[in-house]
Every structure is written in C-alpha cells, then in structure tokens.
C-alpha cells in the first residue's frame, strides 16, 4: 500500500459491551475514531492519527447446518471462515484474498470472481447485521428490523452507518459438481506471447457474450500482467458443474483462439483455492507498494482493449502493472440492496506495483492517468458506469456518483437517521444531510 497511517491509540474491544462503552464514551468526549477490520482498505480508511477501534479480538463464528447459515463476528478474516467450512460441502461468498476482513468486504458489495456468478455478492447473502450506533446503542438490521439500515449496509456500508459487530450469512451447498467436499473445477490458462493477447481477449469476450452470460456456473478472473521484462495473460476460470461437462463447454472457445502456453484443470474446495500454492500460476514479484483503480463496465469495446493492452513507461523505476478483469455478469442476485451495479458485466481493476516510497507519486500518477484514458475510451459508448467501493480510490473524481450512482440521495437520508452528527467520518464517506 502507498498509504500508511499510524494511530495514536488502538482499542481492541473483546465484547459487544466493550464496543458500546467505547463508542458512547468517545462520542460524548467528541473524540474522532476509525473502525479497523482486516486492514485492507486501499485508501487506508481504517486508520488515522487518532483513536482506532480494532475488531481483532471479535473472532467468534457459529455455523448452523440446519438453516445453512453462519454468524461471524467483525474481527474474522476470510481464511478463518473458509477453514471453519472446510471439510463440509459448503461455501460462502467471501474474498479471494485470505486476509481481507469479513465486514469491510461484505458491506461494500463483496464479490468473489469464482463463486459469485452462482451465489451472488457477499451483500446479497447477508440475512442480518448486529450494529453498534455512534452512541453505543446496539440494534439489529434485517429485512424485518430496521430495513432501511439493512438495505444501506448491503452495498453502501463500509464504515458509514455504525460499527458492525456481527453478520449472519447464507452458506451454499456445492452439489452440482458431483465432486467430494464441495469442490469446484478450476481452469488456469496462460498465454505469454504479448502479440497474442488481443486475439485471446477478443475470443474470450465472444465466449462471454455467447455462452458464459447464459450459464451462471461459469466464473472468470482475467489478469494481464506487464513489467519491463515480461508479460502474460492469465484467465482463471471456475466451473460449478459436473467435471464431465468441462471439455464440451470450454474447448470450442479455446480451440478458436491462440494456443495457450499453460492449461490446467484442478478441483479445489474454497479453502484450497486460497491455500494451495500454484493454483493460478501467478508469477508475481514481491509486492512492496500498490495502487489499485476500478472501472465498472457494461461491456469492453475495441477502444478499451487498446488501453487494456498498453505497456507502461518504465524509464526511471521498476513498475509492474496487472490489469484485473473480473467477470461479474448477473452476480447481483438480490436487487433490493444498496449495491449500485446490477447492470455491469466486468470490473476492470488494474493494480500498479512498485518498490520505494520515492516513486509513490509517479506510480500513482501513472495509475490515475491510465484510468482516465480508459474512461475516455469508454465515453462514446457509455461502457463505464462507475467504480467499485471496495477498490476505493482516494483520487477518484466525482466519487459520489461513481460509487453510489442513483442510490446516493437515499444513502444520505439513511445516514441522517443513523449518524446525524457524522461521527463515523472518513474521506469519501457518506455525509448526513445538513451535517
Ligand atoms: C489483496 C486484496 C484482495 C482483495 N480482494 C477482493 C475481492 O476478491 N473481492 C472484493 O470484493 N474485494 C476485495 N478486496 C477489497 C476489500 O474487500 C476491501 O478493501 C475491504 O474494504 C477490506 O475490508 P477489511 O476489513 O479487510 O479492511 P479495513 O481497512 O479494516 O476496513 C475497510 C473499511 O471498512 C470499515 N470497517 C471495517 N470493519 C468494520 C466494522 N466492523 N464496522 C463498520 N465498518 C468497518 C473500515 O473503517 C474501512 O473504512 C481486496 C483487497 C485487497 C487488499
């Protein structure tokens, strides 16, 4: 991360009463706070030079196999949840990165490029939240209890409305694959000749349009990696159906385009996807510093492909660029949430990686101007409709519209009810009306 901010005091509540006491005391003393979960905010918004309430001790989880639900406390990270489900046939919609926190991920939408096409976004799967408000009052938000808060926390949340103490999510039995203990099949396909990349992407986009958009068992995560020495294009696909169907579904697509250098198909559980090394053949360098941007796209045009396939200048320092194209067609299963992107098919989310703090501003400039070129390329067709709240970009112009679209006014009204004095405040946070 390019953004590193160190708090003056970290408080670690161990119980919900501790959270309530901390909030009521700090609010009455007018002490600003930030809430910290898995610490993966790309804007560093879980921290500041003041008091931080860190959920690290709130680690309980409870699985109810009968109702197919799990209740998770705010300090859990996804690897802990996947480990608890491992060995069963169940999966949950969580992050692909094992150390992302469960609340920060879910309350901004939360997609899983391998499972969301089958089971929706993280926020679609939350049945209820327990929340501590600014003055320490603890409330429940669900479809029947405080439904406005429930709506807002599913896609518009991420620290805006209160301290989420716990969430109850649906879990999903993986039985369509006929594989042991809830495995999916995963394809890892890599091309390393840069001259092939455009043809590979065009061919993939046709497959998406003609086949994958109509078959929600198929998930994809595409990475185009470039640095000064080499590049590769990796398409990582998942299939939530019988292994026997794989060849007949994917081979007609692959046989039309340039031949890949690596093609593997393996079966993994959700826990294995994040723990088995070499699953995706990622030849990444060690990441030191990183800036990520995001563009929610309805489609990808030829003009946008030109930008996706650019190489970055690399004259004064070593910079790597990995363009993530996450396939999200039809992943929003519950339309009655604050998630603002039911119409998109891709999140184009490039990350830029570099090594020393002296290069921060140069690298961030490269990333931001890359995003502007992509937006310009998309402008004539209106293909880009926003940015992803979970890939928060502190330099984003017009972020209110980009993150929330037509939900902005309603979210402000809900904020006015639940946090009228704007106690939960951070850059790019939702303000109440008349703060
Ligand atoms: C390596 C990496 C991989 C990622 N992969 C994915 C992915 O596959 N899919 C995806 O959708 N996103 C992904 N993300 C984005 C990630 O989901 C967001 O950055 C998310 O906000 C991180 O949550 P956190 O709890 O880890 O971070 P934090 O920085 O601790 O929190 C993020 C925000 O949520 C607030 N917050 C945290 N806990 C609470 C709480 N209990 N109550 C209220 N507010 C709270 C914080 O104040 C902060 O504003 C990834 C991020 C990284 C760095």
């Amino acid at each position: 991360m390019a953004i590193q901010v160190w708090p003056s005091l970290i408080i670690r509540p161990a119980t919900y009463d501790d959270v309530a006491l901390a909030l009521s005391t700090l609010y009455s003393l007018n002490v600003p706070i930030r809430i910290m979960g898995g610490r993966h905010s790309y804007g560093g918004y879980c921290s500041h030079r003041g008091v931080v309430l860190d959920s690290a001790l709130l680690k309980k989880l409870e699985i109810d196999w009968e109702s197919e639900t799990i209740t998770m406390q705010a300090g859990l990270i996804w690897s802990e949840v996947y480990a608890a489900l491992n060995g069963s046939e169940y999966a949950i919609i969580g992050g692909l990165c094992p150390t992302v926190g469960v609340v920060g991920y879910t309350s901004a939408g939360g997609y899983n490029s391998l499972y969301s096409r089958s089971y929706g976004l993280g926020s679609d799967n939350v049945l209820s939240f327990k929340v501590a408000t600014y003055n320490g009052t603890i409330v429940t938000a669900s479809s029947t209890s405080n439904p406005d808060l429930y709506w807002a926390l599913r896609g518009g949340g991420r620290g805006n409305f209160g301290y989420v103490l716990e969430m109850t999510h649906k879990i999903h039995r993986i039985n369509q694959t006929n594989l042991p203990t809830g495995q999916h099949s995963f394809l890892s396909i890599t091309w390393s000749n840069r001259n092939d990349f455009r043809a590979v992407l065009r061919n993939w986009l046709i497959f998406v349009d003609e086949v994958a958009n109509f078959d929600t068992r198929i998930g994809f995560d595409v990475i185009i990696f470039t640095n000064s020495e080499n590049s590769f294009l990796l398409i990582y696909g998942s299939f939530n159906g019988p292994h026997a169907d794989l060849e007949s579904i994917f081979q007609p697509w692959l046989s039309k385009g340039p031949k890949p250098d690596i093609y593997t198909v393996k079966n993994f559980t959700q826990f294995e996807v994040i723990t088995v090394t070499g699953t995706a053949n990622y030849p990444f360098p060690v990441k030191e510093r990183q800036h990520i941007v995001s563009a929610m796209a309805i489609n990808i045009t030829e003009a946008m492909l030109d930008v996706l396939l650019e190489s970055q200048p690399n004259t004064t320092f070593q910079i790597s660029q990995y363009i993530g194209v996450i396939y999200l067609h039809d992943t929003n299963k519950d339309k009655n949430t604050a998630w603002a992107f039911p119409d998109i098919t891709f999140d184009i989310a490039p990350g830029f990686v570099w090594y020393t703090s002296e290069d921060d501003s140069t690298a961030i400039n490269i990333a931001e101007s890359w995003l502007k070129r992509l937006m310009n390329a998309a402008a004539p067709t209106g293909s880009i409709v926003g940015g992803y709240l979970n890939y928060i970009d502190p330099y984003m112009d017009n972020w209110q519209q980009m993150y929330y679209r037509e939900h902005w006014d309603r979210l402000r009204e809900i904020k006015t009810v639940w946090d009228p004095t704007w106690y939960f405040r951070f850059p790019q946070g939702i303000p109440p009306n008349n703060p």
Side-chain angles (χ1 to χ4, degrees):
M1 282 296 302
I3 298 167
Q4 303 196 5
V5 191
W6 305 103
S8 50
L9 175 68
I10 300 176
I11 297 173
R12 288 190 162 163
T15 64
Y16 297 167
D17 285 346
D18 289 350
V19 176
L21 180 63
L23 282 173
S24 60
T25 309
L26 293 165
Y27 174 70
S28 67
L29 296 172
N30 205 14
V31 177
I33 55 141
R34 292 282 174 87
I35 307 169
M36 183 175 272
R39 304 174 209 166
H40 279 55
S41 162
Y42 281 106
Y45 297 160
C46 60
S47 184
H48 66 163
R49 293 192 184 86
V51 178
V52 163
L53 298 185
D54 177 7
S55 307
L57 300 181
L58 297 170
K59 289 277 191 192
K60 285 197 196 113
L61 66 75
E62 214 172 292
I63 302 169
D64 184 337
W65 301 109
E66 195 111 325
S67 63
E68 303 186 319
T69 59
I70 183 168
T71 299
M72 302 174 284
Q73 287 194 333
L76 289 159
I77 56 173
W78 284 113
S79 59
E80 293 163 340
V81 179
Y82 300 154
L85 289 169
N86 201 39
S88 76
E89 291 187 320
Y90 284 85
I92 183 168
I93 297 302
L96 266 192
C97 168
T99 45
V100 161
V102 296
V103 175
Y105 167 93
T106 304
S107 52
Y111 59 64
N112 182 308
S113 48
L114 307 175
Y115 291 84
S116 279
R117 291 215 66 234
S118 293
Y119 305 115
L121 302 168
S123 56
D124 296 334
N125 282 281
V126 189
L127 298 172
S128 70
F129 296 89
K130 197 166 272 184
V131 186
T133 64
Y134 64 95
N135 59 10
T137 309
I138 295 179
V139 298
T140 298
S142 68
S143 61
T144 51
S145 179
N146 301 307
D148 261 18
L149 180 60
Y150 177 59
W151 176 87
L153 286 170
R154 294 189 301 152
R158 216 199 35 135
N160 280 301
F161 301 98
Y163 190 132
V164 174
L165 301 166
E166 67 174 45
M167 308 180 290
T168 298
H169 278 227
K170 286 182 226 160
I171 52 175
H172 298 275
R173 184 154 173 252
I174 313 287
N175 52 6
Q176 297 174 50
T177 59
N178 303 330
L179 290 165
T181 53
Q183 291 176 327
H184 269 208
S185 299
F186 293 97
L187 299 91
S188 179
I189 317 164
T190 310
W191 292 260
S192 39
N193 182 349
R194 204 173 165 78
N195 297 328
D196 288 341
F197 290 1
R198 184 178 287 267
V200 170
L201 287 175
R202 276 188 186 140
N203 189 32
W204 176 69
L205 288 170
I206 293 169
F207 177 73
V208 160
D209 252 3
E210 294 181 352
V211 180
N213 281 354
F214 305 97
D215 187 343
T216 54
R217 297 174 303 173
I218 300 172
F220 281 120
D221 201 344
V222 177
I223 306 275
I224 310 160
F225 178 87
T226 316
N227 70 10
S228 55
E229 277 135 33
N230 49 47
S231 51
F232 66 86
L233 194 162
L234 162 68
I235 296 186
Y236 191 48
S238 75
F239 185 60
N240 182 15
H243 195 85
D245 291 357
L246 260 174
E247 295 290 303
S248 61
I249 290 179
F250 291 98
Q251 276 312 322
W253 152 47
L254 286 168
S255 63
K256 283 188 203 135
K259 198 170 165 351
D261 299 290
I262 303 173
Y263 174 84
T264 58
V265 182
K266 292 179 183 164
N267 302 326
F268 290 116
T269 64
Q270 187 170 32
F271 184 66
E272 286 161 350
V273 173
I274 57 152
T275 50
V276 175
T277 50
T279 304
N281 301 317
Y282 273 24
F284 284 137
V286 174
K287 290 178 201 167
E288 296 280 335
R289 306 179 81 75
Q290 187 184 58
H291 182 62
I292 194 159
V293 293
S294 145
M296 295 298 217
I298 288 170
N299 60 350
I300 295 178
T301 61
E302 281 294 319
M304 290 161 74
L305 274 186
D306 288 343
V307 184
L308 256 59
L309 292 169
E310 283 177 2
S311 324
Q312 294 307 313
N314 185 34
T315 47
T316 55
F317 62 98
Q318 178 87 8
I319 180 166
S320 305
Q321 153 196 332
Y322 61 95
I323 314 266
V325 180
I326 298 113
Y327 173 56
L328 297 174
H329 191 83
D330 203 16
T331 52
N332 179 210
K333 306 294 185 199
D334 182 350
K335 303 290 184 282
N336 188 24
T337 71
W339 171 257
F341 303 100
D343 49 345
I344 59 153
T345 291
F346 307 100
D347 182 12
I348 302 173
F352 294 80
V353 178
W354 66 102
Y355 301 94
T356 63
S357 55
E358 293 88 68
D359 291 325
D360 285 358
S361 64
T362 319
I364 288 167
N365 271 337
I366 288 175
E368 292 294 323
S369 57
W370 187 95
L371 182 62
K372 289 218 161 64
R373 288 198 299 286
L374 184 71
M375 307 274 275
N376 288 340
T381 45
S383 297
I384 293 178
V385 293
Y388 184 30
L389 190 54
N390 253 347
Y391 291 169
I392 196 97
D393 175 356
Y395 309 94
M396 169 81 78
D397 294 332
N398 190 18
W399 56 266
Q400 296 87 340
Q401 168 68 23
M402 290 295 281
Y403 294 141
Y404 299 108
R405 298 174 87 190
E406 68 273 16
H407 290 159
W408 175 248
D409 289 342
R410 183 170 174 197
L411 285 164
R412 283 195 73 177
E413 276 163 29
I414 295 170
K415 173 78 171 180
T416 309
V417 173
W418 290 96
D419 184 21
T421 61
W422 203 359
Y423 186 54
F424 296 110
R425 183 190 289 226
F426 47 90
Q428 300 182 319
I430 299 171
N433 292 321
N434 309 313

